Amino acid sequence: MHPAPATARECLPQAPALLRHGGAPAYAALDLGTNNCRLLVGAPCGNGFRVLDSFSRIVRLGEGLATTGQLAEAAMDRALGALAACAEKLHRRPVRALQAVATEACRRAGNGPAFLARVEAATGLRPRIISAREEAELAMESCTPLLEEGDRRALLFDIGGGSTEIAWIRVRAGHGPSSAELIGYISLPLGVVTLAERAGSSCFTESGFSAVVEEVAAQLEAFDRVHCIGQEIRAGGVRLIGTSGTVTTLAGVALALPRYRRPLVDGCRLDRAVADQALGDLFALGRAGLAAHPCVGPERVEFVLPGCAIYAAIRQLWPVPVLTVADRGLREGMLMRMIRADRAGRQAGYRRGC
């Protein structure tokens, strides 16, 4: 078990001075999700950033949430332990700006705000609960560089632990954040954790897997009708982008990687048939095979097939010929926003003669 709040507080006897305003600029983004706690520290580099440090730990914060409506004590302890580790990293490397967000688990839990107050008292970190729309916007911001000439629309999906966000995007000519506009979004209360708790075992059977696929597809049909997405796909120029552990795992399997390597996965394009074959290969492995696979591992065994079922529903309803895989998400979107805002502030200062 990871440290309880008191232990986390012992690691940080005083609220750390996490921010600095001089020296080489570094920025930090923290994403506390339903399944994972992730930190990314980066420095501006060209039109993007260079990664200085990162942290990721499976905490299963949303464990049991669908049944009780509350965050469980053991889950909160695990998350606090991970957050204390993040705060310690930031204590050693103060940053120019820091954003910390919490997503579906804290949005849904009755004790979510109280838990975040405990987080602040124990670690000095202050994650804010963001809406599903902002979650979709941040994912869109991080994935905009993957858009290409000829794209008219983009369909971006993020399969999370407690929910799945889908963004329908208009692509304008040019590059940069202004080239993408969020037309619509939907947040389904179905993620790999919620499905694993409710139907995880059945996903290892063909009938159970198919039932989850049909359930998810049914919940997406109204969104499809409102935005005429199927019609747009038939007209061409629609890019399908997936950002989640599910699609990066599919890519790792499709590329036959002996171990997961982000540079080979992020931005890769999988033909629909290749992605389908990778999904079939994962399904055929069973629990023991998934646990032994270098792109899955024992901690993620229960989550992979529920995530694949969500992907299969998206693929069934919206048969775009190619899947673009993104190993990027909320943290990268937050970093880009902070860097851009800082640059704009400095330029404004120069114009004023400061």
Side-chain angles (χ1 to χ4, degrees), residues 248-324:
T248 57
T249 299
L250 284 173
V253 172
L255 297 172
L257 299 181
R259 61 184 177 85
Y260 186 80
R261 293 184 60 192
R262 183 184 184 276
L264 297 179
V265 169
D266 183 48
C268 79
R269 300 175 64 184
L270 301 179
D271 287 343
R272 186 170 59 202
V274 172
D276 287 351
Q277 181 62 54
L279 192 156
D281 291 345
L282 284 168
F283 185 84
L285 285 172
R287 277 194 176 84
L290 290 171
H293 197 285
C295 294
V296 181
E299 283 193 309
R300 297 181 57 231
V301 167
E302 300 300 325
F303 305 132
V304 170
L305 293 185
C308 285
I310 296 173
Y311 164 72
I314 292 168
R315 149 81 172 80
Q316 174 179 296
L317 190 61
W318 297 310
V320 180
V322 175
L323 168 65
T324 298

Side-chain angles (χ1 to χ4, degrees), residues 139-337:
M140 178 181 74
E141 183 136 8
S142 71
C143 293
T144 294
L146 298 177
L147 298 173
E148 296 181 4
E149 194 74 28
D151 292 341
R152 297 184 306 105
R153 299 282 187 273
L155 187 63
L156 170 64
F157 65 92
D158 182 359
I159 303 170
S163 64
T164 296
E165 272 65 48
I166 296 178
W168 180 234
I169 299 164
R170 177 183 291 115
V171 183
R172 299 192 185 96
H175 300 282
S178 62
S179 65
E181 176 192 359
L182 184 65
I183 302 172
Y185 75 97
I186 185 173
S187 178
L188 301 183
L190 298 172
V192 298
V193 174
T194 50
L195 283 175
E197 289 183 353
R198 195 194 75 197
S201 297
S202 66
C203 281
F204 286 88
T205 68
E206 289 188 13
S207 60
F209 187 90
S210 296
V212 173
V213 172
E214 294 306 320
E215 177 188 356
V216 175
Q219 293 198 33
L220 294 174
E221 286 175 355
F223 185 70
D224 175 69
R225 288 193 298 271
V226 167
H227 295 287
C228 302
I229 297 173
Q231 180 178 328
E232 293 281 4
I233 290 170
R234 288 189 292 274
V238 176
R239 179 169 297 278
L240 179 67
I241 304 175
T243 169
S244 68
T246 296
V247 293
T248 57
T249 299
L250 284 173
V253 172
L255 297 172
L257 299 181
R259 61 184 177 85
Y260 186 80
R261 293 184 60 192
R262 183 184 184 276
L264 297 179
V265 169
D266 183 48
C268 79
R269 300 175 64 184
L270 301 179
D271 287 343
R272 186 170 59 202
V274 172
D276 287 351
Q277 181 62 54
L279 192 156
D281 291 345
L282 284 168
F283 185 84
L285 285 172
R287 277 194 176 84
L290 290 171
H293 197 285
C295 294
V296 181
E299 283 193 309
R300 297 181 57 231
V301 167
E302 300 300 325
F303 305 132
V304 170
L305 293 185
C308 285
I310 296 173
Y311 164 72
I314 292 168
R315 149 81 172 80
Q316 174 179 296
L317 190 61
W318 297 310
V320 180
V322 175
L323 168 65
T324 298
V325 179
D327 188 350
R328 56 182 76 191
L330 305 191
R331 296 175 303 163
E332 289 82 359
M334 287 188 280
L335 283 180
M336 292 307 301
R337 279 187 176 181

Side-chain angles (χ1 to χ4, degrees), residues 30 32 61 71 100-117 126-132 134-135 138:
L30 188 149
L32 178 61
L61 180 60
L71 301 176
V101 302
T103 57
E104 182 70 7
C106 290
R107 277 200 298 263
R108 292 179 60 187
N111 58 345
F115 167 64
L116 295 183
R126 288 178 281 187
R128 64 184 179 88
I129 300 173
I130 61 172
S131 67
E134 185 172 355
E135 198 170 343
L138 287 169

